[in-house]
C-alpha cells in the first residue's frame, strides 16, 4: 500500500502535507511513503530529511499510489493522471471550486475534504480547520504588533511611563483565542467579543476582558455562531464602535467554512480609529470582516492601516505543516485496518460519520449532498412504479386453541 505526498503547486502555498518526523507513523502502519522531490522546500524541509525518515523521493510518486495527500486540491491535469479508485486527502473548498469537484468525480477519485470533517470530540485530532486556525491566530497578533508603531506592553522607566497598547479582538474561536493569548503575552490590554455566550468565559480564561454588548447570543451547530439578522448586525456595530475607536489595534477572526465571512466593521467605524492604528482582518480572503479590506494587501482607511489576510497559515509553514500532517496521519489511521496476517489494508469504513462526512466524491459520483445539488441540481424523482395487481384474499382459517396461546402477547398494550 502506497501513500504519495504531493509537492504543492499553487502560488503562495508554502506548507506540505507530511513532515519527516511523522513518516515513521505511516510506515509503522505498513504503508510505503513516496514524496515528490522538493515537496518540503518552502517549509524549510530538505529531501534528505524525508529519505532519512524512511520515505522514497520519487518524481513519479503518484504512480501506483492508493492515497495522495496534499494541502491544496490537486490541479486538474494531476487529477486526470490518477488511477480510478485512488483516494485523496486535502483541503477542498467545494463552494469555491466546483470545477475541481467535477474533475475528481469524472476521474473516479475518492476525495476527502478535511474542512468537512464533523466537529465532534472523536474527530478533534483530525480537525485541520482548528489546527490551521491556531497558526493563523498567532500570526495575526504578530502582524498587528509588527505594524503598530508603539510598544504593546506597559513600560515604566526613569524617563516616564509608556502605557500598554489596547487591542480588540472580534471572534473567539480557535484563531481568536490564540490571537488574544498572543497579544496578552506581548503585554497588551486585550478586549474581545463573540456572539456566542460560552465565548465570554473562554475570553476571560485567556486573561482578556470580555465585551458585553447586552445583545442576545447566537449559538449555532458545530460550535459556530448562527447567522444574525441585519437589524441585530446594525445594533452590534453601533455598540462596538466606541471600543474599536479606542483601540490601537483591531483583529477580526470571524469566519464560517464554505460561506462568506460576516461583515462586522464598516469603513465608517475604522475611520474613527486613532492615527497610527492597525486593523488585521483574518477573514479578508472570504469576503472580510472589515469593509474595504483586501486579501494579501495593506490598504489605508482613515488613519488606520488595514492588513488583509491571505492564506495566513502558509506564512508560518513549519508549524502549520507539522500540525496538518498530524491531522492527516490521524485520518489515515482511521482509514486503516489489518488482515488476518497483520498486514495494513487501506479500507475506509464509510459507515463512520467522520469518513462519510468528509467524503466529497466516490466511484464517479458526488456523494456530498450539498455539493451534488450545487453542481448537478436537485435529485430527479425516479419513474413511478407500475401498479401491481392486488393479491387474491386467502381463505379464512381459525387457529387451534393451543396455537392461539402461543401468539405474542403485549401486556403493556393490553393494560
Amino acid at each position: 500500500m502506497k501513500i504519495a505526498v504531493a509537492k504543492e503547486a499553487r502560488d503562495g502555498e508554502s506548507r506540505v502535507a507530511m513532515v519527516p518526523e511523522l513518516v515513521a507513523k505511516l510506515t509503522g502502519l505498513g504503508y510505503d511513503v513516496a514524496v515528490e522531490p522538493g515537496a518540503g522546500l518552502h517549509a524549510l524541509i530538505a529531501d534528505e530529511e524525508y529519505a532519512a525518515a524512511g520515505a522514497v523521493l520519487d518524481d513519479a510518486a503518484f504512480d501506483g499510489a492508493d492515497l495522495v495527500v496534499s494541502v491544496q486540491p490537486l490541479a486538474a491535469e494531476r487529477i486526470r493522471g490518477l488511477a480510478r479508485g485512488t483516494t485523496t486527502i486535502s483541503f477542498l473548498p467545494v463552494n469555491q471550486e466546483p470545477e475541481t469537484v467535477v474533475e475528481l468525480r469524472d476521474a473516479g477519485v475518492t476525495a476527502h475534504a478535511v474542512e468537512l470533517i464533523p466537529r465532534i470530540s472523536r474527530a478533534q485530532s483530525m480537525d485541520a480547520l482548528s489546527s490551521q486556525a491556531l497558526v493563523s491566530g498567532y500570526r495575526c497578533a504578530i502582524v498587528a504588533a509588527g505594524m503598530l508603531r508603539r510598544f504593546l506592553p506597559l513600560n515604566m522607566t526613569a524617563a516616564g511611563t509608556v502605557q500598554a497598547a489596547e487591542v480588540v479582538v472580534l471572534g473567539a474561536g480557535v484563531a481568536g483565542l490564540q490571537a488574544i493569548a498572543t497579544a496578552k503575552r506581548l503585554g497588551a490590554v486585550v478586549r474581545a467579543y463573540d456572539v456566542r455566550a460560552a465565548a465570554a468565559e473562554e475570553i476571560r480564561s485567556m486573561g482578556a476582558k470580555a465585551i458585553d454588548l447586552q445583545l442576545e447570543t447566537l449559538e449555532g451547530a458545530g460550535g459556530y455562531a448562527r447567522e444574525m439578522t441585519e437589524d441585530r448586525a446594525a445594533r452590534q456595530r453601533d455598540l462596538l464602535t466606541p471600543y474599536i475607536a479606542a483601540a490601537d489595534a483591531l483583529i477580526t477572526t470571524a469566519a464560517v467554512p464554505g460561506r462568506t465571512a460576516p461583515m462586522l466593521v464598516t469603513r465608517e467605524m475604522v475611520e474613527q480609529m486613532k492615527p497610527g492604528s492597525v486593523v488585521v482582518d483574518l477573514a479578508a480572503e472570504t469576503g472580510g470582516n472589515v469593509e474595504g479590506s483586501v486579501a494579501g494587501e495593506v490598504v489605508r482607511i482613515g488613519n488606520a492601516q488595514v492588513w488583509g489576510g491571505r492564506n495566513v497559515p502558509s506564512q508560518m509553514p513549519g508549524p502549520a505543516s507539522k500540525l496538518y500532517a498530524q491531522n492527516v496521519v490521524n485520518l489515515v489511521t482511521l482509514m486503516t485496518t489489518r488482515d488476518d496476517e497483520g498486514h495494513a489494508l487501506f479500507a475506509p469504513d464509510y459507515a463512520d460519520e467522520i469518513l462519510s462526512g468528509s467524503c466529497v466524491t466516490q466511484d464517479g459520483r458526488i456523494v456530498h449532498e450539498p455539493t451534488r445539488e450545487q453542481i448537478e441540481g436537485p435529485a430527479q424523482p425516479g419513474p413511478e412504479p407500475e401498479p401491481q395487481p392486488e393479491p387474491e384474499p386467502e381463505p379464512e382459517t381459525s387457529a387451534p386453541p393451543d396455537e392461539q396461546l402461543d401468539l405474542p402477547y403485549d401486556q403493556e398494550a393490553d393494560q
Side-chain angles (χ1 to χ4, degrees):
M1 305 295 289
K2 179 180 176 182
I3 296 176
V5 180
K7 179 180 179 181
E8 301 296 324
R10 297 199 180 191
D11 290 341
E13 184 52 72
S14 302
R15 293 169 290 178
V16 62
M18 189 51 53
V19 295
E21 61 200 89
L22 294 176
V23 167
K25 290 194 175 183
L26 295 177
T27 55
L29 288 173
Y31 293 104
D32 296 325
V33 179
V35 179
E36 291 192 302
L41 181 63
H42 295 298
L44 305 180
I45 302 173
D47 287 346
E48 292 77 14
E49 294 181 62
Y50 284 108
V56 174
L57 278 297
D58 188 356
D59 288 312
F62 287 15
D63 290 353
D66 301 282
L67 172 65
V68 177
V69 297
S70 62
V71 179
Q72 299 292 342
L74 300 176
E77 61 273 12
R78 307 214 72 187
I79 293 171
R80 293 175 199 143
L82 296 176
R84 294 188 74 84
T86 303
T87 298
T88 63
I89 295 174
S90 70
F91 281 98
L92 180 55
V94 292
N95 292 330
Q96 289 77 37
E97 299 193 27
E99 66 283 352
T100 302
V101 176
V102 171
E103 291 284 354
L104 291 161
R105 177 198 67 188
D106 294 347
V109 171
T110 298
H112 285 266
V114 292
E115 61 266 60
L116 295 180
I117 290 174
R119 304 201 80 184
I120 57 177
S121 58
R122 191 166 59 87
Q124 285 181 346
S125 65
M126 309 164 210
D127 186 354
L129 281 176
S130 292
S131 74
Q132 301 307 288
L134 181 77
V135 179
S136 296
Y138 175 84
R139 175 64 177 159
C140 282
I142 297 300
V143 167
M147 292 178 64
L148 199 60
R149 296 182 179 181
R150 58 165 298 169
F151 292 150
L152 258 68
L154 170 72
N155 280 274
M156 302 177 68
T157 73
T161 299
V162 180
Q163 296 297 325
E166 294 197 15
V167 176
V168 169
V169 178
L170 300 184
V174 175
L177 291 173
Q178 183 62 21
I180 291 167
T182 304
K184 188 66 181 175
R185 285 195 293 266
L186 291 172
V189 173
V190 185
R191 292 179 172 84
Y193 175 73
D194 193 288
V195 298
R196 296 167 298 127
E201 185 58 39
E202 294 172 344
I203 289 167
R204 287 190 285 268
S205 73
M206 295 290 116
K209 299 176 182 177
I211 297 173
D212 185 1
L213 302 182
Q214 298 295 316
L215 294 173
E216 67 275 17
T217 59
L218 297 174
E219 304 287 348
Y224 295 107
R226 284 191 291 113
E227 190 171 1
M228 70 182 76
T229 64
E230 181 50 41
D231 177 64
R232 188 198 186 284
R235 287 188 292 134
Q236 178 177 290
R237 289 193 289 266
D238 288 342
L239 294 169
L240 281 173
T241 296
Y243 293 97
I244 292 171
D248 297 292
L250 169 66
I251 301 172
T252 65
T253 67
V256 180
R259 298 174 63 181
T260 302
M263 200 272 285
L264 305 178
V265 181
T266 63
R267 181 180 291 270
E268 289 75 19
M269 293 166 72
V270 177
E271 287 173 348
Q272 296 189 42
M273 296 181 75
K274 297 175 288 191
S277 55
V278 170
V279 177
V280 174
D281 187 355
L282 177 60
E285 207 166 12
T286 56
N289 297 146
V290 180
E291 184 181 17
S293 68
V294 179
E297 297 183 19
V298 177
V299 298
R300 179 167 288 279
I301 299 177
N303 295 314
Q305 294 185 83
V306 181
W307 183 89
R310 183 180 182 185
N311 196 0
V312 177
S314 191
Q315 297 174 19
M316 304 194 74
S321 297
K322 180 178 179 179
L323 292 169
Y324 179 74
Q326 186 63 69
N327 296 143
V328 169
V329 168
N330 293 335
L331 187 56
V332 172
T333 301
L334 182 64
M335 295 174 163
T336 304
T337 60
R338 294 191 179 276
D339 61 19
D340 294 338
E341 298 178 357
H343 300 131
L345 295 176
F346 183 72
D349 177 8
Y350 287 98
D352 189 304
E353 63 181 315
I354 296 173
L355 302 185
S356 61
S358 62
C359 189
V360 177
T361 61
Q362 187 179 34
D363 298 330
R365 298 176 297 115
I366 300 173
V367 295
H368 183 246
E369 191 59 27
T371 304
R372 192 199 62 74
E373 288 190 4
Q374 176 188 344
I375 294 173
E376 299 176 351
Q380 298 299 318
E384 294 265 344
E386 293 185 8
Q388 299 293 322
E390 292 188 9
E392 292 288 333
E394 296 183 4
E396 293 185 7
T397 59
S398 58
D402 288 345
E403 283 189 34
Q404 290 178 351
L405 293 175
D406 290 337
L407 292 176
Y409 180 63
D410 189 344
Q411 291 183 339
E412 291 187 6
D414 188 59
Q415 293 171 356

